[in-house]
Amino acid sequence: MKLKEEIKNKLQDICDRGFIETLRTGDTGIGFTLETLLGVEENNSSGADIDGLIELKAKRKEGSSRTTCFCLTPNWTSDIRRIIKKYGWDDPKKPERINFYTSLRYGAATPQGLSVDIDGNSLFILGREGEKLAELPLQKVEGRFREKFPELIIVSADSQKEKGAKEKFWFNEAYHCRDLNISRITEVLKAGKLILEARMWMHKETGKLRDRGFAFRMSSKDTKELFGNVERLV
């Protein structure tokens, strides 16, 4: 595949440069810096990053942080504002808000009593009494994986940051993943490897709601398990 070979050659050139200063501070700096070096425009589209054919993910090697695969909004079975009032908590920095930023995984309850279950062809968010608060058809989850990951390139970097200086990255490990195995998605969900992170808050007085849906997040190692063919590029 010509596109893959072009990216492979660019990644090797980037690796050969050693540590490169970040082009943006903060957590998103690594992805933005790699995209810029590869000539990929930053985008928030629902499809893959590179020509709609290959998704690009960058991560720091240290730690076990997860990366966001995509975001989805479930079908709420009751009023979302009531749910946030019941299961949310006050924002310590912005007391006018109630936060609903919680991480959910199959087989484990949050401190608030929320959990995830799979019943039939749907994924459900459950309340502390086992009531169904929201539903996501597994077909919809699988469809987003197909849309977002026709193929995937995961790039890992060593990171260094000296006091008073910008962070630097050495992009020295990369994998090309293809042949997405849809049947594995339910397996990784039930194994607790695919995490759902709610990203919502509500204004206490006005009821204004900021809903960015649920982020589906996985580690790079677990993400590679979804593909039938994984090839190291760098």
Side-chain angles (χ1 to χ4, degrees):
M1 180 181 179
K2 185 178 179 181
L3 178 59
K4 187 201 77 172
E5 290 303 317
E6 289 177 357
I7 296 170
K8 179 180 179 178
N9 292 335
K10 287 182 180 180
L11 286 172
Q12 187 61 61
D13 290 342
I14 293 169
C15 175
D16 292 343
R17 290 174 58 180
F19 280 97
I20 299 171
E21 187 173 271
T22 185
L23 300 177
R24 175 188 287 172
T25 58
D27 292 341
T28 61
I30 184 169
F32 179 75
T33 301
L34 180 61
E35 287 177 344
T36 302
L37 292 170
L38 288 173
V40 177
E41 290 188 15
E42 188 177 25
N43 71 82
N44 295 308
S45 70
S46 59
D49 295 319
I50 305 173
D51 296 345
L53 300 173
I54 302 176
E55 178 70 3
L56 179 67
K57 293 291 183 185
K59 66 177 291 292
R60 297 167 177 83
K61 284 186 179 179
E62 71 277 9
S64 57
S65 61
R66 301 178 182 88
T67 57
T68 299
C69 300
F70 49 78
C71 292
L72 276 176
T73 300
N75 302 316
W76 295 98
T77 57
S78 58
D79 183 72
I80 182 57
R81 288 174 174 80
R82 291 182 182 178
I83 293 172
I84 293 177
K85 285 180 180 179
K86 183 174 181 178
Y87 292 100
W89 55 91
D90 292 344
D91 188 320
K93 295 182 179 179
K94 298 180 179 179
E96 72 278 7
R97 292 183 180 181
I98 302 175
N99 284 342
F100 191 67
Y101 292 92
T102 188
S103 295
L104 302 165
R105 74 167 74 213
Y106 183 90
T110 70
Q112 295 77 30
L114 297 166
S115 60
V116 173
D117 189 26
I118 295 174
D119 186 7
N121 296 317
S122 289
L123 179 154
F124 293 95
I125 310 299
L126 305 181
R128 64 172 67 100
E129 286 84 31
E131 71 277 22
K132 293 178 178 178
L133 304 177
E135 177 183 4
L136 259 174
L138 289 173
Q139 188 176 20
K140 188 173 182 179
V141 177
E142 293 167 355
R144 283 295 287 121
F145 268 103
R146 286 193 185 94
E147 184 178 33
K148 195 66 177 174
F149 298 108
E151 295 186 19
L152 170 67
I153 288 179
I154 300 175
V155 183
S156 300
D158 288 313
S159 169
Q160 65 176 210
K161 190 177 188 304
E162 298 177 2
K163 188 175 181 180
K166 289 185 177 181
E167 187 176 12
K168 293 181 180 180
F169 303 113
W170 182 15
F171 300 98
N172 54 19
E173 187 175 343
Y175 295 88
H176 177 226
C177 309
R178 57 188 177 86
D179 299 333
L180 178 67
N181 186 346
I182 292 297
S183 65
R184 292 281 294 134
I185 293 171
T186 300
E187 293 178 29
V188 297
L189 271 166
K190 289 186 173 181
K193 296 177 180 179
L194 182 53
I195 309 300
L196 283 68
E197 293 188 356
R199 300 181 173 188
M200 288 178 278
W201 60 261
M202 184 182 72
H203 193 282
K204 291 180 180 178
E205 293 187 5
T206 66
K208 176 185 176 183
L209 187 67
R210 176 65 185 272
D211 181 2
R212 292 191 291 165
F214 280 82
F216 283 67
R217 293 170 58 82
M218 296 181 69
S219 70
S220 295
K221 176 184 175 182
D222 294 334
T223 302
K224 285 188 283 189
E225 290 184 15
L226 295 175
F227 295 85
N229 190 308
V230 178
E231 174 190 355
R232 183 158 183 169
L233 300 179
V234 175

